[in-house]
Amino acid sequence: MPKKSKQKKTTAKQPATKCIFIVGGVMSGVGKGVASSSIATLLQSRGHRVTAIKIDPYINVDAGTMNPTEHGEVFVLKDGLETDQDMGNYERFLNTDLPSINYMTTGSVYQSVIQKERNLEYKGKNVEVVPDIPLEVISRIKTAAKTAKADIVLVEVGGTVGEYQNVLFLEAIRMMKTEESENVAVVMASYLPVPGSIGEMKTKPTQTAVRMLNSVGVFADMIVCRSPIGVDRKRKEKIAKFCNVKVENVISAPDVESIYDIPLHYEKDELSLRLLETLGLSTRKKADLKEWKRFVNRSKGGDDVVKIAVVGKYFNSGDFVLSDVYLSVLEAIKFSAYKLKLTPEISYLSSQDFEDKKNLKNLKKYDGVLVPGGFGTTGIKGKLNVIEYVRKNRIPYFGICYGMQLAVLEFAMNVAKIKNASTEEINPKAENLVIGVMDEQRDNIAEQKMGGTMRLGQYPAVLSSGSVAAKAYRSKEIVERHRHRYEVNPEYIEKLEVKGLRFSGKSPDGRLMEIAELPVEDHPFFVGVQFHPELQARPLDPHPLFTAFVKASYEAD
Ligand code: GLN
């Protein structure tokens, strides 16, 4: 008997982790990241343990060194890695924190292969671009799956099929599919234009993209068709025939008002069932999207409107206005507004426009003003003017990171009357550096060690009882994510507090000022935070400080 049970144990195989790759066809910017997040949400809703990985085909080792107007927001993970904004979408859709193993760039993959070679881990063999780079990619995917104890891992390959940059990642898909075809599915997120002059949806670009994918030995199991309108049966059949996929695996993905509607749309074409079938997984468990649907319904509009102005410096790009740079901030405002049954009306204002004080009165029409994080000198004068105006006019203010440092600086200049005050980031020679470089950052700056060296990731803070912050969090201990090199200079704390500014959140050792606020008697809501609360705001779990800010904005006269 004991022998038998022993035998049973050794033969019981762990089910293999299934892997879904998402690649982009035709063009970029069609919402591949949101497609991946939505697919992940649907599989999760059917009871699977899902994790999501983003691959960026850049030489940059992480996203921290990329200009946000080019690449969008830098999303900081809990463990401190600076990543692409799609990681934020995954965290928001899956309502979970993701670790740094879930993000890789060409640069980071090469870096580890070279490091392993230096450590003699290849045992004297030739290290080659193929297969060693794709093998490193596959090994990272497997580690990520194991870390998350996931039964399904989604891998989004950045860029578009046909670009030189992502060929090695496509090679990783080919190798993995050859090894374990039953565990790998490939989804192409494509685009079907409806040219105005013709008025008909065209499938040819998708056919060409699929052929390009096939030319590197990768075959799509499913095609998600992004388009201005839904894809009809006739075109689905055409795509199926010319692209070698089953007609039921051609999924219609028309433009929708809110990205959070997308999982519900996909389910109309039974996307998750089709994927589970492709991967040989059970399709018996029904999708539980109750909570998600409740959130989506709330997002359709509330009882009243709340008008929030976000004053940033990265909005203008040529003739276009970009809001991607502040994506998480905008989403965080929306989640809190929906929770309060309000319709958020968010305006993107360029800080440079407020260098002229005459424009400040335009701020009167907003219920609340938010200054998000930032770097450098551009637009600073405008931001300081905005902060002075909202402080004096009692317009609710929420300052994030740079927005907190500048609020402290404005208070130092205009209330505490500290002469020639500045932040070291703008004017290192100023007499009174109210915001200074953190000690541990001095060498990094001097030696130009700028990549991945800021104070990054999650740190705890302790809040003072009775403060605006503690009331919002309903807790005295919090954990938030950071990304900065500068801090409130401890030498000025007393001078500022005497004049009425309160440092209501500090690092547990009391050294770093994490929150500055004005008491409610002095201002309806004036809070600055050194961290980035937006990174932890989730559709199903809005951030308490954003909720407090939006509520105060709505309620203030
Ligand atoms: N530039 C500031 C610093 O490095 C603020 C950074 C930010 O807003 N993320 O401290």
Side-chain angles (χ1 to χ4, degrees), residues 61 63 65 89 114 118 173 179 238 329 364 411 439 451 464 478 528:
V61 172
T65 54
N89 277 326
I114 291 168
R118 295 287 80 188
I173 305 179
E179 277 278 298
K238 197 166 173 185
V329 171
K364 275 224 162 83
F411 190 89
D439 281 343
S464 344
I478 59 164

Side-chain angles (χ1 to χ4, degrees), residues 56-61 104-112 169:
D56 262 338
Y58 303 106
I59 296 293
N60 302 61
V61 172
M104 65 183 109
T105 65
T106 301
S108 72
V109 172
Y110 269 86
Q111 200 179 43
S112 10
F169 299 114

Side-chain angles (χ1 to χ4, degrees), residues 373-375 400-402 405 425 483-486 530 532:
F375 295 85
I400 295 177
C401 207
Y402 217 0
Q405 295 174 358
E425 188 166 357
R483 182 174 188 243
H484 64 118
R485 284 188 211 282
Y486 297 83
Q530 183 56 81
H532 290 271

Side-chain angles (χ1 to χ4, degrees), residues 345-534:
E345 232 180 68
I346 307 175
S347 302
Y348 314 139
L349 308 183
S350 201
S351 51
Q352 290 92 320
D353 293 345
F354 295 102
E355 281 171 17
D356 183 348
K357 286 197 174 185
K358 279 207 295 291
N359 295 331
L360 287 167
K361 58 181 183 309
N362 294 341
L363 293 172
K364 275 224 162 83
K365 55 176 181 270
Y366 300 105
D367 300 315
V369 171
L370 187 152
V371 173
F375 295 85
T377 41
T378 316
I380 295 308
K381 198 167 158 237
K383 285 185 187 171
L384 286 168
N385 286 344
V386 166
I387 296 168
E388 180 182 11
Y389 186 85
V390 298
R391 181 178 55 73
K392 288 182 174 162
N393 289 279
R394 300 172 56 84
I395 298 172
Y397 175 74
F398 193 16
I400 295 177
C401 207
Y402 217 0
M404 176 250 201
Q405 295 174 358
L406 295 173
V408 173
L409 179 58
E410 189 279 325
F411 190 89
M413 294 184 329
N414 300 326
V415 182
K417 305 277 182 217
I418 298 174
K419 294 240 155 48
N420 198 2
S422 189
T423 152
E424 205 164 348
E425 188 166 357
I426 302 174
N427 180 10
K429 297 206 172 81
E431 191 183 325
N432 288 300
L433 293 172
V434 176
I435 307 295
V437 178
M438 300 168 74
D439 281 343
E440 47 277 55
Q441 290 293 335
R442 254 179 225 293
D443 292 347
N444 289 334
I445 296 173
E447 293 163 32
Q448 275 274 317
K449 285 190 184 152
M450 305 304 261
T453 56
M454 282 188 243
R455 179 172 179 244
L456 289 166
Q458 191 170 282
Y459 288 93
V462 182
L463 311 182
S464 344
S465 331
S467 60
V468 176
K471 280 189 191 143
Y473 280 100
R474 293 198 194 158
S475 169
K476 276 190 69 186
E477 277 158 42
I478 59 164
V479 177
E480 291 282 1
R481 297 185 197 174
H482 299 69
R483 182 174 188 243
H484 64 118
R485 284 188 211 282
Y486 297 83
E487 61 167 336
V488 175
N489 185 342
E491 284 172 31
Y492 294 88
I493 290 168
E494 221 185 288
K495 282 191 187 122
L496 298 168
E497 284 194 323
V498 169
K499 294 289 177 184
L501 192 64
R502 288 193 186 154
F503 291 101
S504 56
K506 296 180 186 174
S507 56
D509 61 6
R511 215 169 52 88
L512 294 164
M513 301 303 110
E514 300 280 28
I515 307 181
E517 62 177 68
L518 288 176
V520 269
E521 306 83 64
D522 296 346
H523 199 285
F525 190 95
F526 191 94
V527 176
V529 293
Q530 183 56 81
F531 45 83
H532 290 271
E534 71 275 18

